[in-house]
Amino acid sequence: MRRTAVPPPAGERHPRAADGGDWDTIRDLADAFNRLDTENGLQPEEQWTLQVLKLAEEVGEAAQAVIGARGTNPRKGHSHSWTDVEDEVADAVITGMVALARLRPDAQEHFTAVLARKSANFLRPDGAPRRHPTAVHGEPVRSPRLPDGGPGPAGAGGPQGRPDESPGC
């Protein structure tokens, strides 16, 4: 079953989104969920476990949307758009950020440190991509995402024709 949120009226945005307080909003969500779960008698470890399971659910919904956008389920056909995929990926990111904020009070700083560490594997300090790593025999390492390691047929790319730019961290 697909859930569809009703979008806000054109031009209307949540006040937090308008002022760029993303991490403030994430912390508020984490605090609200912590309060609710505590009121329901859940211990912190149970709360964290359930939040990570919620993240897994959201990632599964993103995968389901990709299957629907590609039309690879013969029973359902093209049941989703790439916009649905983008929305589901955003849901997974938000849920992951909330999970991190529920796990540690310094979530924003921790996220920034991990992002710097992970991105250093793919980007030089000037932001340019690093050369692809090579295998033992000097051959370039192929992308695990596609058999030939490339972005697919010319123009295929990802959603809206964009090439896959995921760092695969």
Side-chain angles (χ1 to χ4, degrees):
M1 171 170 40
R2 235 172 74 194
R3 293 176 294 147
T4 305
V6 177
E12 185 180 318
R13 293 173 52 180
H14 189 279
R16 285 282 172 120
D19 72 8
D22 296 341
W23 275 102
D24 289 339
T25 303
I26 294 298
R27 277 188 289 274
D28 288 348
L29 287 168
D31 290 345
F33 296 142
N34 285 339
R35 252 188 327 275
L36 290 170
D37 285 350
T38 300
E39 288 170 7
N40 286 325
L42 297 176
Q43 296 301 311
E45 292 82 6
E46 292 174 288
Q47 295 178 32
W48 303 332
T49 300
L50 292 172
Q51 186 69 39
V52 171
L53 291 174
K54 178 66 176 170
L55 175 58
E57 176 194 13
E58 294 297 342
V59 170
E61 289 176 8
Q64 182 180 16
V66 168
I67 291 168
R70 299 288 310 263
T72 57
N73 183 334
R75 291 184 301 108
K76 296 182 181 178
H78 287 272
S79 58
H80 292 74
S81 68
W82 284 106
T83 300
D84 294 328
V85 174
E86 294 162 357
D87 289 348
E88 294 297 347
V89 169
D91 284 348
V93 170
I94 293 165
T95 303
M97 291 172 74
V98 169
L100 187 59
R102 292 183 79 181
L103 287 164
R104 52 185 309 146
D106 65 339
Q108 183 175 359
E109 295 80 12
H110 184 72
F111 176 83
T112 300
V114 172
L115 177 61
R117 188 173 65 245
K118 296 281 189 172
S119 64
N121 294 324
F122 299 93
L123 300 174
R124 297 189 319 226
D126 64 1
R130 291 193 183 277
R131 289 184 42 112
H132 291 289
T134 56
V136 176
H137 304 292
E139 293 288 323
V141 174
R142 301 287 183 199
S143 168
R145 286 177 236 125
L146 293 169
D148 68 355
Q160 301 172 8
R162 295 187 305 255
D164 181 9
E165 297 175 357
S166 169
C169 301

